[in-house]
């Protein structure tokens, strides 16, 4: 078994195994569009309408990538990210990409310092999705 540049993608006989991607976003349209796009790329999708639902119902060991909305009612994406890192002593954390409608350098700095792999503006998300699914973060 050879590992690719992403620790979560494993090659067997030259074929890359599909990822399990968790989408955490309060907007059902965004969740559905992302789900369709990710499934079209051959990956599995888990969809959550809130950070609380994600934290209560997800098995982090089975997730390779989390697309985490920053601004949600209740627990926001930054708080969810911090909670995930508090749990990290028990679970292996997946790659976490925080997604936001705002281009806010201070929020970007906060989420990266809190352990996110990347901060992506929603208008750029679909363009960057193939790169994110391949384990690269330019």
């Amino acid at each position: 078994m050879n590992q690719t540049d992403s620790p979560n993608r494993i090659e067997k006989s030259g074929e890359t195994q599909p990822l399990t991607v968790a989408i955490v976003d309060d907007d059902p349209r965004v969740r559905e569009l992302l789900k369709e796009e990710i499934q079209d790329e051959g990956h599995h999708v888990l969809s959550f309408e809130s950070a609380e639902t994600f934290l209560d119902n997800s098995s982090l060991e089975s997730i390779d990538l989390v697309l985490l909305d920053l601004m949600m009612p209740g627990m926001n994406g930054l708080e969810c990210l911090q909670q995930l890192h508090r749990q990290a002593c028990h679970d292996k954390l997946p790659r976490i990409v925080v997604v936001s409608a705002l281009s806010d350098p201070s929020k970007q700095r906060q989420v990266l310092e809190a352990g996110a792999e990347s901060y992506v503006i929603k208008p750029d998300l679909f363009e960057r999705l193939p790169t994110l699914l391949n384990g690269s973060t330019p």
Side-chain angles (χ1 to χ4, degrees), residues 97-136:
V97 174
V98 172
V99 180
S100 177
L102 301 176
S103 178
D104 182 338
S106 87
K107 287 288 184 199
Q108 180 177 5
R109 189 171 40 258
Q110 278 183 302
V111 300
L112 293 175
E113 288 173 358
E117 176 180 296
S118 187
Y119 181 93
V120 178
I121 308 304
K122 281 188 179 180
D124 298 337
L125 181 58
F126 285 92
E127 181 181 318
R128 295 211 27 217
L129 197 55
T131 304
L132 294 170
L133 293 171
N134 285 324
S136 307

Side-chain angles (χ1 to χ4, degrees), residues 1 6 23 27 29 65 76 111 117 119 123 135:
M1 242 190 282
S6 168
I23 302 168
D27 186 333
R29 293 167 303 178
L65 173 64
N76 67 38
V111 300
E117 176 180 296
Y119 181 93

